[in-house]
Amino acid sequence: MYAARSEPADREPDTSARPPLVRELLLVVGLFAIYKLGRQAASGHVEEAYRNAGHVWDLERAVHLPGEGAVQGVLLHSETLIHLANTYYAIVHFPATLFFLAWLYWRRPLHYVWSRRILAALTGAALALHLLFPLAPPRMLAAAGLVDTGQVYGPTVYGDTPATDSMANQFAAMPSLHFGWALMVAVGLIVATRSRWRWLWLLHPLVTLLVIVGTANHYWLDSIVVSALLAVAFAALRLERTVPVRVHSRWPSAAGAAESTVARTGLPVSRIPDPAAISEVYAAPSGGRP
């Protein structure tokens, strides 16, 4: 008989699995600083970024992916929708991920460690790809014919031009960490919770995907590539499971066996053979009988 020791959703978390808070805060802040510095180091490469944008656009049309303009066309029908999409893009990305990690740290320590490792691996791989493959977003590509909704309608997180933007690298479109982090938040919460409504967390990456495409900040291919990177991270970094513990059950005593037989057959105790007497009969010598 086996009993698996795990971290049930309706019980208090195992605090022994929770890493020290100060160390985790320093680690998360350090990873965020590396992320920002890495994006700054990947800035520039203007000609290469625009050339890669043309290649990505042509590839999407060659494989018959839907045009990014189809999503933006829906947003352009309502200025309210455009403002909501721009706001979602600007303010949801980081806070949602931080709240996700904070909740896991407090309520699901084992899932927190796993999710933090996944996010760190995904972000590192994305930064490497930003360096190797600078890419101008579709809002900068003339062939796309899309509107920079952030600059036209606001709010926006980017400067007027990539050259004057000191806060972000606008040529880091491939892959989309907006979508990658949103997808990780949804998967992490689905794995860590047991509610029948937990699958609704998938709405977060779905809305994020429509927002990043509709605001012309990312291509469809950006989300496809980051999903592939996330799948590799899932395969390489498995969620640790506790080892099942073997629970040994003792054989019932003679008295317990008798009581069980009475309850099962309804016979009086006097008519139930004594197990010890039966054992003596079979253990006695046969006396030459066949």
Side-chain angles (χ1 to χ4, degrees):
M1 183 185 300
Y2 292 89
R5 290 186 300 183
S6 59
E7 191 176 7
D10 57 347
R11 295 185 181 179
E12 289 298 318
D14 181 8
T15 56
S16 64
R18 184 181 295 140
L21 178 59
V22 175
R23 189 193 74 181
E24 290 303 309
L25 288 175
L26 292 175
L27 180 60
V28 171
V29 170
L31 290 174
F32 177 74
I34 294 173
Y35 166 74
K36 297 297 291 186
L37 291 175
R39 285 178 67 93
Q40 288 297 315
S43 61
H45 310 286
V46 177
E47 294 183 0
E48 185 180 1
Y50 279 100
R51 183 168 59 251
N52 289 336
H55 295 330
V56 168
W57 183 261
D58 292 340
L59 176 61
E60 287 189 344
R61 307 291 79 77
V63 298
H64 303 292
L65 286 176
E68 287 79 358
V71 179
Q72 187 173 93
V74 175
L75 297 181
L76 291 176
H77 285 303
S78 170
E79 191 167 338
T80 301
L81 280 178
I82 296 176
H83 279 293
L84 288 175
N86 290 334
T87 303
Y88 197 94
Y89 182 86
I91 70 172
V92 174
H93 178 46
F94 282 109
T97 307
L98 291 177
F99 281 127
F100 162 70
L101 290 174
W103 185 85
L104 286 183
Y105 178 84
W106 185 251
R107 297 298 303 171
R108 304 288 186 272
L110 291 175
H111 291 83
Y112 163 78
V113 174
W114 173 68
S115 299
R116 187 246 293 151
R117 290 173 179 171
I118 293 288
L119 285 171
L122 177 65
T123 304
L127 287 177
L129 196 52
H130 292 163
L131 288 168
L132 296 173
F133 193 78
L135 179 66
R139 56 188 167 81
M140 295 183 181
L141 186 63
L146 299 175
V147 177
D148 187 343
T149 60
Q151 291 293 340
V152 175
Y153 299 97
T156 181
V157 296
Y158 301 115
D160 295 336
T161 63
T164 61
D165 195 342
S166 60
M167 297 299 295
N169 174 20
Q170 298 195 40
F171 295 143
M174 173 78 75
S176 170
L177 282 177
H178 264 77
F179 181 72
W181 287 10
L183 186 57
M184 180 59 215
V185 167
V187 172
L189 289 173
I190 290 172
V191 172
T193 57
R194 293 294 179 269
S195 169
R196 68 174 67 180
W197 304 104
R198 67 188 186 277
W199 296 101
L200 292 177
W201 287 113
L202 291 174
L203 291 175
H204 177 43
L206 176 60
V207 172
T208 300
L209 177 61
L210 297 178
V211 164
I212 64 176
V213 172
T215 57
N217 283 296
H218 286 282
Y219 305 89
W220 294 111
L221 197 60
D222 298 338
S223 59
I224 295 174
V225 170
V226 82
S227 298
L229 293 176
L230 189 58
V232 173
F234 283 146
L237 303 172
R238 300 295 183 90
L239 175 63
E240 294 184 3
R241 298 290 186 180
T242 53
V243 179
V245 179
R246 184 186 294 271
V247 179
H248 296 281
S249 298
R250 296 182 178 180
W251 289 102
S253 62
E259 293 175 359
S260 176
T261 305
V262 169
R264 186 175 65 253
T265 63
L267 294 174
V269 176
S270 58
R271 296 185 58 187
I272 299 175
D274 184 4
I278 296 176
S279 300
E280 292 176 359
V281 170
Y282 281 97
S286 61
R289 288 178 296 176

